Each structure stands twice: as C-alpha cells, then as structure tokens.
Amino acid sequence: MISRRALSGLLMTLVGPAAVRGNDALGLSHCDGACANVDLPSLGYDTFCRSFFDIATAGKLRPDATGAEIRPEMRSLFRQRRLYRPSSDEIQVLWKRTEDGFSVTKVEFNLECGIPVRGCLGIPAGDIKGLILLAHGMASTPERCFVDADPDYMNAIGKRLCEDGYVVWSPYIVQIGNQESQNNIAAMLASHGVSAHNVSCASIEAGEFVCRKLVGASALNVGVYGVSWGALLVVHLEAATGRMRPTVASGYMRDETKFLMSPIISKNLGMELASYVHFSNSRTKYMGGQLADLVSPCPLFFELGSHDLANSIAYGRDETFMEMRSVYASSDHAHLIGMTVFEGKHEVSGKNARLWLQQRLASPTYQVTARLKNAIAL
C-alpha cells in the first residue's frame, strides 16, 4: 500500500514543482445533458484536436510503433504490428487539483507517432488498491469523469473509482464531440500512416506509464473500464494485446447487422458512423463470438441500461452476449464473463461493475489471468 504523504513527495520528485502550472479548477460548468458542447471549447480540446493538422503539416507524424505487440488477427484495426508508446520519459503536468478524498492531475505527453496525449490521473487520498484505465465515451471528457456536481452519462465513475481506492487514468479520446470529426481526424492520420484506433488504445494503455511517473508505482494490479465508444476500445485493446486484465465494458453490446438495419440508421442517413468507416475491413470483430475467441479468458463484465436503445434486446443485446459466453464456456471459462442490465439509459451504472472489479483485482487468480501483467516496460 502507498500512503498519501508518499504520493505528494513522489509527485514533486518525479516531475518537479516547476512543471505544475497551478492548482486550477477542473473548469467544468453546467452541461444540461450535452457536456461535450460545453467542455470541448472551455477545456481547449477543440483546439487540441486541430493542432494535429498542424503537426502533420510540419512533417512531425511518424508511423513508428514499438509498444505492446498486437495479435495478427487485430492488426487491420491498428495498422501496425505494435501499439504506439510514449516517445520519452518526459511528462508535463498541466495542473493539479485536490478534491475531497482524492486528487486529479492533468498531464500531457507525446506518443512516438508524433501525436500528443492529454488526460487526467485521479489519485486516492488513502492506500492504493490498484490502477484503473478508464476510457470515456465520445460525448464526454476526462475531467467530467471526476465530477459529480453536474454529471453526464459517465456519472462521475472516475471519482467513484478513486473513492474505492484506485488510481484512475482517463485519457482524452480524440474527437470534438461528433463522429464526423473522428472520421476526419482518422482519415488525416491514416494518410500519414498513423492509426487513430492505435492512438486511442495506446493512450489508454499509457496509464501505467503515467501512474509510474506521478505515483511511483509500477506493480499495481490493473483493471480496465470503458464506456460507450470507450467500451469498444478497451475490449479491442485487451483482444489485441492479450493482457487479460479484468475489463468492464459499459454501454456496448449488440448485433451490428441488426443495428445497421435499424431506424437509428435509416432515419439518419446523413450521419457518418465512425465505427464502420474506421473498421470496414474488420467490422465483424466488434462483438460476438469472433472477438470473444480472441479475448477469452480475459475477465469481462458488461453493463447496459435497460433503456439504452442502441444496445437493446431488439438489436441483439442478449443473443450477442450469449454468443460470447458460449465461446468462454467452450473452454471452461464461463465464470469469467458476465452482464448486468440496470434501470437506466445509455450511461454508466458502476454499482455491480465496481464490486466485480474489486473482487477480480483482489483475487489471487488475477496473477493467473493477467499473465502478462507489467511485462511491458513503457
């Protein structure tokens, strides 16, 4: 266990007081259910995303990838044999804020492909139980994950995980609040040999690097929590790297063929869907038996709101889960996959998922299922 006092000393020792720009507030205001519209300009993420085009114009994008090796079956999604890794040990602390029971530090660093990463690291005030890699959905931001005064569909899950005793890393998943922006950024990066999917997954994976730099811990048990678009990313990350970390996927479980034939699509013919543009060569690997075959026996827990229209029974929620569970059962791992449906919309619950993570991360079997734990030195 690591004490709060030790954390404070380590932070100043590792990054230096000159790197801290101030004890800024999280900068969040009332979002009225449309948080991305408020957060992105006020937090500077729209400018941050547009800077990628300046980086490309300056000739600073590179297809280098020397991080965790990616399974051959998943390489069409990542355009590389490996994940991108942080380009150096340098990490810039943008600000730090102390909350009641935990602190939040916002940092920035570069990946070796030339793309910068911004994200928030939440650190509990007491002893640390482990590290959670948290991927937010498309219409949210890392900061919003740590605030419950005016929550969005993330429902302050980062704050709650910190209160459970976990360090929480939440990187900004690149987009400016809509799928068209994600497509345009992905297309521009692809023209330079850089995969947006790889960038997103590498940003999530880099949580162990950030934790080691700011907390001084490198041997923590690691769990993964993804929401909406982030749920897709974290399951793909675990399938690609085989890390076998306990993984919660919130708000993503459906039959993609049924979804493509649904009124959600037919009534919005002018809306581009990033999912199918980005992964047109591997769209069948989203969910279902083929992906389960790659992920198993990674402990997986799915949570869905009963009123989540895009992930409903009508669009194959239950059938798709049973298909995945049958793959796990065929290798005697049915106990490692589960799903809960709570009363709610397309949002985070966390009630059962947090307990599931606590049990998995504290269990001696973690050392068995997470067989590559800490094997990759960032």
Side-chain angles (χ1 to χ4, degrees):
M1 296 293 185
I2 300 173
S3 68
R4 176 71 180 181
R5 182 177 299 175
L7 291 178
S8 299
L10 282 167
L11 177 63
M12 291 298 99
T13 300
L14 290 168
V15 301
V20 182
R21 291 185 177 177
N23 192 26
D24 291 3
L26 292 175
L28 300 178
S29 56
H30 182 60
C31 71
D32 194 25
C35 297
N37 295 334
V38 173
D39 291 354
L40 296 174
S42 65
L43 299 176
Y45 284 119
D46 53 350
T47 303
F48 177 68
C49 288
R50 291 186 176 94
S51 73
F52 293 3
F53 293 84
D54 297 329
I55 293 171
T57 300
K60 296 181 180 178
L61 290 181
R62 301 174 298 276
D64 302 341
T66 62
E69 186 172 356
I70 296 168
R71 288 173 170 171
E73 299 91 337
M74 300 292 288
R75 287 175 188 166
S76 62
L77 297 179
F78 292 83
R79 296 176 64 91
Q80 302 288 344
R81 296 176 60 88
R82 295 180 176 275
L83 280 181
Y84 303 127
R85 66 188 299 175
S87 59
S88 70
D89 270 350
E90 294 182 5
I91 187 169
Q92 183 181 20
V93 173
L94 302 180
W95 51 254
K96 178 182 178 182
R97 182 181 179 182
T98 300
E99 302 288 335
D100 184 17
F102 68 102
S103 66
V104 180
T105 302
K106 187 171 182 177
V107 303
E108 181 174 325
F109 56 91
N110 291 324
L111 296 175
E112 59 188 330
C113 60
I115 292 295
V117 174
R118 285 185 184 174
C120 292
L121 187 76
I123 305 173
D127 292 340
I128 292 174
K129 296 179 181 178
L131 168 66
I132 304 295
L133 309 180
L134 174 62
H136 64 76
M138 188 175 296
S140 190
T141 54
E143 289 86 344
R144 189 69 63 176
C145 300
F146 294 95
V147 174
D148 61 2
D150 187 32
D152 62 356
Y153 65 96
M154 296 297 297
N155 283 325
I157 187 63
K159 170 184 170 68
R160 290 189 282 161
L161 290 168
C162 281
E163 291 172 342
D164 289 340
Y166 298 102
V167 176
V168 179
W169 164 245
S170 182
Y172 177 60
I173 304 300
V174 174
Q175 36 74 35
I176 58 170
N178 58 62
Q179 293 177 322
E180 291 85 352
S181 69
Q182 195 176 59
N183 289 342
N184 291 338
I185 292 170
M188 185 280 291
L189 294 179
S191 71
H192 291 78
V194 176
S195 162
H197 199 58
N198 197 327
V199 167
S200 295
C201 289
S203 300
I204 300 166
E205 182 74 10
E208 293 187 58
F209 160 76
V210 177
C211 182
R212 188 177 74 244
K213 291 290 293 182
L214 298 190
V215 181
S218 59
L220 297 175
N221 288 357
V222 181
V224 190
Y225 205 126
V227 181
S228 190
W229 179 260
L232 182 70
L233 291 174
V234 298
V235 177
H236 279 175
L237 175 60
E238 295 309 298
T241 61
R243 296 293 299 274
M244 302 300 169
R245 299 170 292 205
T247 299
V248 175
S250 178
Y252 202 103
M253 175 61 72
R254 63 190 182 220
D255 182 311
E256 294 300 328
T257 301
K258 290 183 178 180
F259 182 68
L260 282 172
M261 295 185 294
S262 74
I264 293 175
I265 304 300
S266 64
K267 292 180 180 179
N268 294 281
L269 293 180
M271 180 180 70
E272 295 179 78
L273 288 178
S275 305
Y276 311 103
V277 173
H278 292 180
F279 313 139
S280 58
N281 293 328
S282 303
R283 65 182 61 176
T284 58
K285 295 187 173 70
Y286 288 148
M287 286 292 171
Q290 192 172 5
L291 183 58
D293 190 54
L294 292 174
V295 175
S296 178
C298 175
L300 277 182
F301 187 83
F302 295 93
E303 63 170 13
L304 289 303
S306 58
H307 303 293
D308 184 346
L309 297 181
N311 296 278
S312 63
I313 293 175
Y315 300 142
R317 180 194 71 200
D318 293 351
E319 293 92 336
T320 301
F321 173 73
M322 291 308 298
E323 182 183 345
M324 297 185 74
R325 191 176 186 277
S326 67
V327 172
Y328 271 66
S330 66
S331 56
D332 296 326
H333 293 118
H335 62 290
L336 292 178
I337 187 170
M339 184 173 76
T340 185
V341 178
F342 61 91
E343 181 65 25
K345 301 177 292 185
H346 185 69
E347 60 182 324
V348 173
S349 168
K351 181 179 179 180
N352 294 327
R354 288 162 57 203
L355 178 60
W356 181 87
L357 274 174
Q358 292 172 25
Q359 292 172 340
R360 289 292 171 190
L361 291 173
S363 171
T365 60
Y366 174 88
Q367 303 299 330
V368 177
T369 55
R371 57 179 179 269
L372 296 181
K373 174 177 173 285
N374 299 313
I376 302 168
L378 293 174

